Amino acid sequence: GFSSFMVVMLIIGTGYDSYLEHKSIHSFSNNISYEIARIGQPAINKAELLDPTNGLTVTSNNNNISNGMKENNGNIAIFNRSICNEVLPPQNIEDAPQLSIWSEVVLSFSVRLNLKTICDQTVGEDTIPTIHGLRSISMAWVILGHTCIVAFKYSDNMEYRGLVEKEFLFQTISNGAFSVDTFFFISGVLVSFLYFRTVAKIDVTKLTMSTGVLSNFMQFLGLLGYRFLRLTVPYMFVLGLAEVSMKWFYFNSVFEPPTLDHVNCPNYWWRNLLYINTLFPVEDMCMVWSWYLANDTQFFILGAVLLILAVSHFRIAAFTLVTFLLSSWFTTGIIAYHNKHMPSMDDPLALFDKIYDKPWTRLGPYLVGMSVGWILYKTKCKITMNKLVVTIGWLTSTSLFLLLIYGLYDAHLHPITAAAYSSLSHSAWALSLSWIVVACSTGYGGYVDKLLSLSILYPFSRVTYCAYLVHPLVIRIMAMKMDSPLHLSKETVIILFLGQAVASYILAFVVSITYEAPIVSLLKICSPKKKKRSYPVAQ
């Protein structure tokens, strides 16, 4: 029923958008015809004026236009004024006729406008372009890891995994958990950077219509409400899709589903809705991969409190952040040591319920990201560094990346060393990312910055959230539709990964346009910095 409602709204929004577009084009054409007739130049071809290669200057008729204007006693001023102010799109959006609030609401469901926003090849001043590249690469890494997990489970040569895991390059897959740390780090950077930028531009007390503690509380509710509305609609849709599809496959597939979503989702979906599912046993979890959303939301709640506190009591907020960071390290180390966790030998998901998905063990990268966001804000992305510092920074960052991914190959760690690695490795990964973001944002990124800031990555980055939601379903549907096990090889896994990545992003674009983008557009209408949409002419 909800999906049907959304489809109807998409049709209405897209139709209304097309109507306004047609109306603006018609108005544009009529205005030019009227101005030509008023000046009295029948020799001017309207099609030439509309030619985008010529703009509104027809070089072949310049003499005729000039002569005709001289004969019309100064009508050149009338022509220039009408062309610049009535026909051309106004330079200032406030000069254009603005749409009503209800028109804005309907247009929020326009497929054309939302697709145009997603595929926009530019970024705003409040965006860190490097983030788009990091997000896109990390999403591909996540899909690779999940593809391998499912492929191994439904293969007829299970012993092949034992051989592959002994290879050096397989560490890229077995250490795929660092890709999720990248997402935590990015979230921390953006929430801190954008919050301080926003607070510096608007009067928060005027926005909340209150002061003191009440104003801070209203800020907190606003931040939390915006995030909840933005994330939850596509999240709950995919959750329902997971429940229904896995229930169907349970009765119709020759294989057992990899998890019990058809049982857990009807019973425990409310834990997902409240983003607290990581606080319960994994065997009861609906959409196992949604653990990331729960942790990220819990981190956001803590981050929002620290940011609001930092505006008036920065030292207290900084001390609290460091305290939480140290507590996370200490807690993770104790848990790893007590459970004799060996990151160089154990399956990465072996202690899923105790280490992998718990917020108190994964908090470090988020807090490191918040610190980086504050640094970029305070320095306005302008930091002067000499060549020696830049060289040392890149060498250290690269070495740390390689050490974390491949450093444990065939290593035998002491229990204390293993516990320390489990405790500090995630934050160390975030520190390496910190150098990349800072260097690229301040002009010291070189080719790395150019690669991570490629405009072709922007659309894929913008649908990363939906890609994360749907890609496990795409992988599972592939496995459940098979009538016999896979026979694994390196080539098979590569082909599976590429196919899953393409299919996941196609579905992600559909879900984003249908469920995510309309909600984001609706929320932007309520933004204090929102400028009303207008349709002066076709653009």
Side-chain angles (χ1 to χ4, degrees):
F2 180 71
S3 297
S4 300
F5 169 77
M6 293 298 291
V7 170
V8 170
M9 291 303 301
L10 290 175
I11 295 173
I12 294 174
T14 305
Y16 184 54
D17 174 37
S18 299
Y19 164 75
L20 292 178
E21 186 76 3
H22 174 75
K23 184 178 178 181
S24 65
I25 293 175
H26 184 70
S27 174
F28 182 70
S29 177
N30 287 344
N31 283 345
I32 287 187
S33 299
Y34 171 74
E35 294 303 334
I36 293 173
R38 185 164 66 171
I39 295 174
Q41 291 296 316
I44 301 177
N45 189 341
K46 181 176 68 176
E48 288 180 301
L49 284 175
L50 290 170
D51 186 353
T53 61
N54 293 331
L56 290 173
T57 303
V58 188
T59 55
S60 61
N61 291 328
N62 274 344
N63 293 332
N64 291 336
I65 292 175
S66 300
N67 292 335
M69 289 180 179
K70 290 178 181 177
E71 295 172 2
N72 278 277
N73 299 323
N75 277 342
I76 185 172
I78 298 176
F79 185 85
N80 286 340
R81 184 176 66 251
S82 61
I83 289 295
C84 293
N85 296 334
E86 297 176 17
V87 180
L88 281 178
Q91 296 299 315
N92 187 349
I93 194 68
E94 295 177 356
D95 296 336
Q98 295 180 345
L99 299 176
S100 67
I101 185 68
W102 293 111
S103 295
E104 292 264 13
V105 170
V106 174
L107 287 174
S108 296
F109 293 87
S110 170
V111 172
R112 186 188 72 90
L113 290 178
N114 289 330
L115 184 60
K116 182 179 178 181
T117 300
I118 292 173
C119 297
D120 188 7
Q121 298 292 295
T122 60
V123 292
E125 62 176 4
D126 288 340
T127 302
I128 303 172
T130 310
I131 295 296
H132 289 288
L134 291 175
R135 190 184 283 142
S136 301
I137 294 173
S138 297
M139 189 65 246
W141 197 0
V142 169
I143 296 175
L144 174 61
H146 288 170
T147 299
C148 291
I149 290 174
V150 174
F152 288 152
K153 182 177 179 64
Y154 298 102
S155 63
D156 60 2
N157 53 339
M158 294 290 290
E159 62 277 1
Y160 176 74
R161 177 178 181 178
L163 296 175
V164 172
E165 287 180 344
K166 295 179 181 179
E167 296 185 5
F168 179 76
L169 290 179
F170 188 81
Q171 303 301 304
T172 308
I173 298 173
S174 61
N175 287 312
F178 289 123
S179 62
V180 185
D181 291 322
T182 302
F183 286 126
F184 287 140
F185 170 79
I186 290 174
S187 296
V189 171
L190 293 179
V191 71
S192 177
F193 181 74
L194 296 179
Y195 177 81
F196 286 118
R197 278 251 178 136
T198 301
V199 169
K201 292 179 180 179
I202 64 175
D203 187 351
V204 178
T205 57
K206 182 182 295 186
L207 181 63
T208 59
M209 294 183 292
S210 56
T211 58
V213 176
L214 181 59
S215 176
N216 293 337
F217 181 69
M218 296 298 292
Q219 280 189 68
F220 176 77
L221 290 182
L223 291 170
L224 188 58
Y226 180 90
R227 178 183 175 85
F228 180 83
L229 293 174
R230 185 190 183 285
L231 298 185
T232 304
V233 173
Y235 181 19
M236 289 296 105
F237 167 76
V238 175
L239 185 148
L241 195 61
E243 175 188 337
V244 173
S245 61
M246 290 302 107
K247 186 174 183 178
W248 190 89
F249 283 121
Y250 176 75
F251 289 105
N252 294 277
S253 176
V254 298
F255 297 108
E256 288 285 335
T259 55
L260 300 177
D261 286 335
H262 59 289
V263 175
N264 292 336
C265 290
N267 294 328
Y268 303 116
W269 61 270
W270 56 272
R271 297 175 180 174
N272 298 68
L273 180 65
L274 298 177
Y275 297 92
I276 58 174
N277 43 309
T278 54
L279 305 180
F280 298 89
V282 65
E283 57 265 22
D284 295 336
M285 192 177 293
C286 167
M287 285 180 62
V288 174
W289 63 96
S290 66
W291 71 269
Y292 162 77
L293 300 179
N295 281 4
D296 196 64
T297 300
Q298 294 166 32
F299 298 162
F300 179 85
I301 294 173
L302 173 62
V305 173
L306 293 176
L307 291 172
I308 294 172
L309 181 63
V311 174
S312 55
H313 302 86
F314 180 80
R315 292 185 178 181
I316 296 177
F319 176 79
T320 305
L321 184 146
V322 173
T323 301
F324 272 103
L325 182 61
L326 295 176
S327 299
S328 175
W329 292 348
F330 180 77
T331 302
T332 305
I334 292 297
I335 295 174
Y337 182 79
H338 180 73
N339 290 276
K340 300 179 181 179
H341 179 49
M342 286 291 166
S344 59
M345 300 172 62
D346 294 345
D347 186 303
L349 304 180
L351 294 177
F352 190 93
D353 240 354
K354 297 180 179 179
I355 292 181
Y356 191 87
D357 75 326
K358 291 298 177 277
W360 44 84
T361 64
R362 305 301 293 263
L363 180 59
Y366 194 92
L367 297 181
V368 173
M370 288 185 63
S371 303
V372 172
W374 176 80
I375 291 172
L376 292 177
Y377 162 74
K378 291 296 291 184
T379 60
K380 298 180 180 179
C381 296
K382 296 178 182 179
I383 300 176
T384 302
M385 294 182 283
N386 58 46
K387 291 185 178 180
L388 179 60
V389 173
V390 174
T391 302
I392 293 176
W394 279 111
L395 288 176
T396 303
S397 176
T398 304
S399 300
L400 193 52
F401 277 134
L402 295 175
L403 179 64
L404 291 171
I405 298 176
Y406 303 108
L408 294 185
Y409 178 69
D410 203 23
H412 301 278
L413 303 178
H414 186 276
I416 296 180
T417 306
Y421 181 90
S422 300
S423 174
L424 302 175
S425 58
H426 300 292
S427 297
W429 180 266
L431 287 174
S432 297
L433 292 172
S434 300
W435 170 257
I436 292 179
V437 172
V438 171
C440 292
S441 300
T442 55
Y444 299 98
Y447 289 108
V448 176
D449 183 30
K450 292 180 180 179
L451 175 64
L452 296 178
S453 302
L454 286 174
S455 58
I456 194 175
L457 297 176
Y458 296 168
F460 299 98
S461 173
R462 293 185 181 111
V463 299
T464 296
Y465 173 56
C466 288
Y468 183 84
L469 287 176
V470 303
H471 82 274
L473 278 183
V474 175
I475 297 172
R476 292 177 179 207
I477 289 173
M478 178 274 299
M480 296 290 98
K481 292 289 287 184
M482 296 189 304
D483 56 7
S484 62
L486 285 167
H487 188 78
L488 291 182
S489 66
K490 294 178 182 178
E491 293 76 14
T492 303
V493 172
I494 292 174
I495 293 173
L496 282 175
F497 160 64
L498 294 176
Q500 298 298 341
V502 173
S504 296
Y505 268 101
I506 291 175
L507 183 57
F509 272 95
V510 174
V511 174
S512 181
I513 291 172
T514 307
Y515 294 96
E516 181 187 24
I519 302 302
V520 173
S521 298
L522 288 172
L523 291 172
K524 284 182 178 179
I525 297 175
C526 305
S527 172
K529 298 189 294 181
K530 166 70 177 175
K531 292 183 178 180
K532 289 188 176 181
R533 198 195 308 267
S534 60
Y535 269 77
V537 293
Q539 299 184 27

